[in-house]
Amino acid sequence: MEEKISPLPPVESSVGVDAGITALATLSTGERIVNPGHERPDRRKPARAVSDAAWRDLRMMLEYKAAWYGRTLVAVDRWFPSSKLCSACGTLQEALPLNIREWTCGCGAVHDRDVNAARNVLAAGLAER
């Protein structure tokens, strides 16, 4: 027996999502979704952690769930500099090593790297729509 999925009522809000390793996803609201495999003892190699995060599977699930419920999923280019772009003023940092988790832009805005990236993903996604 197939379950009929009904679209949800329309909403005015949107959320940006930044995929990561420590947190599987960070939302533009500041919420973090924990990567349950990150704390396992064999998680020494970043490539293994990325593979375990199963980002491709996560995106596929988000795509079909969005379609089920009448929502729109917009993905930005994977090379979009979401972490290095100030979400307050739009200035692009030349370099931002992965070990830098918080940074301050010349405009004075202080950013959590992942939340800033999610905010930039949200803005880019809204611009594409």
Side-chain angles (χ1 to χ4, degrees):
M1 182 163 126
E2 277 190 41
E3 182 179 351
K4 180 169 171 48
I5 306 295
S6 299
L8 295 171
V11 294
E12 294 298 317
S13 62
S14 298
V15 67
V17 180
D18 178 60
I21 295 173
T22 306
L24 181 61
T26 301
L27 308 183
S28 55
T29 60
E31 182 181 352
R32 294 180 196 277
I33 297 156
V34 177
N35 177 356
H38 180 71
E39 296 299 323
R40 291 201 315 234
D42 66 344
R43 199 66 69 247
R44 283 178 235 125
K45 297 182 181 176
R48 172 84 187 230
V50 169
S51 142
D52 285 355
W55 292 332
R56 186 177 317 131
D57 291 343
L58 175 63
R59 181 169 165 184
M60 284 180 11
M61 285 187 269
L62 288 173
E63 286 172 344
Y64 83 76
K65 290 287 188 176
W68 270 7
Y69 293 111
R71 300 295 190 243
T72 303
L73 179 72
V74 178
V76 299
D77 185 282
R78 69 178 283 183
W79 301 111
F80 176 66
S82 59
S83 296
K84 300 190 302 184
L85 187 65
C86 176
S87 59
C89 74
T91 299
L92 182 62
Q93 305 299 306
E94 283 189 36
L96 192 61
L98 286 174
N99 65 327
I100 304 298
R101 306 313 303 164
E102 185 175 288
W103 59 279
T104 303
C105 179
C107 74
V110 178
H111 297 293
D112 170 284
R113 178 191 190 100
D114 299 328
V115 173
N116 179 64
R119 288 178 180 156
N120 284 323
V121 166
L122 172 61
L126 291 174
E128 285 186 24
R129 288 177 70 190

